[in-house]
Amino acid sequence: MTIAVEKVVYTARATAQGGRDGKVATNDGKLDVVVAPPAEMGGNGNGTNPEQLFAAGFAACFHSALKLVARKARQDADGSTVTAAVGIGPINGGAGYGLEVELEVSLPGVDRAVAEELVAKAHEVCPYSNATRGNIKVDLTIA
């Protein structure tokens, strides 16, 4: 199922040069980084990589969604964190590569059952969750 955006309110633009071994920069200059394959994938690791950038974006986006649903549920999300772990590996017998994600959520001071509900609701709200749902494995854990 394709999710259609009703009205685009913001568009981010980034240009890559050199693929996984080059640089990536946004058109507004706020992000300008060297990218390099990690040592685990045969690279020198002397730069960030697309998986780290994806993990950072997913963690930040999911945390915003979590804070939103917590506020609506009148729950205290102060001190909460979201850590995203993005794994990459071969799929289809090595014919390509795929991603998987684990989101580890910490909601100190919130009852575990309530935290589970909030995380599930955040997963319905988060744009990254909506973009990846049904496409890649996303595991949600509560620390």
Side-chain angles (χ1 to χ4, degrees):
M1 175 177 96
T2 301
I3 298 174
V5 174
E6 293 173 12
K7 178 184 175 188
V8 174
V9 295
Y10 171 74
T11 300
R13 296 192 193 285
T15 301
Q17 296 174 334
R20 287 184 165 274
D21 203 359
K23 75 175 234 170
V24 176
T26 55
N27 66 320
D28 62 6
K30 292 182 180 178
L31 179 72
D32 190 344
V33 295
V34 171
V35 289
E40 296 85 348
M41 293 179 67
N44 63 22
N46 291 334
T48 190
N49 59 65
E51 291 71 39
Q52 289 173 323
L53 296 170
F54 187 68
F58 206 154
C61 188
F62 195 90
H63 196 214
S64 288
L66 179 67
K67 289 172 27 177
L68 173 73
V69 299
R71 185 171 54 252
K72 286 183 176 181
R74 300 182 195 273
Q75 295 293 320
D76 184 7
D78 287 348
S80 63
T81 61
V82 176
T83 301
V86 174
I88 183 172
I91 59 171
N92 300 327
Y97 285 86
L99 301 175
E100 65 179 36
V101 176
E102 179 186 6
L103 297 174
E104 183 180 298
V105 179
S106 174
L107 272 164
V110 175
D111 178 75
R112 183 167 187 90
V114 173
E116 289 173 357
E117 289 177 23
L118 295 174
V119 168
K121 287 179 184 175
H123 195 44
E124 296 299 318
V125 172
C126 174
Y128 276 66
S129 293
N130 288 330
T132 58
R133 186 172 294 106
N135 297 314
I136 65 172
K137 178 181 169 192
V138 177
D139 289 329
L140 305 171
T141 60
I142 298 177

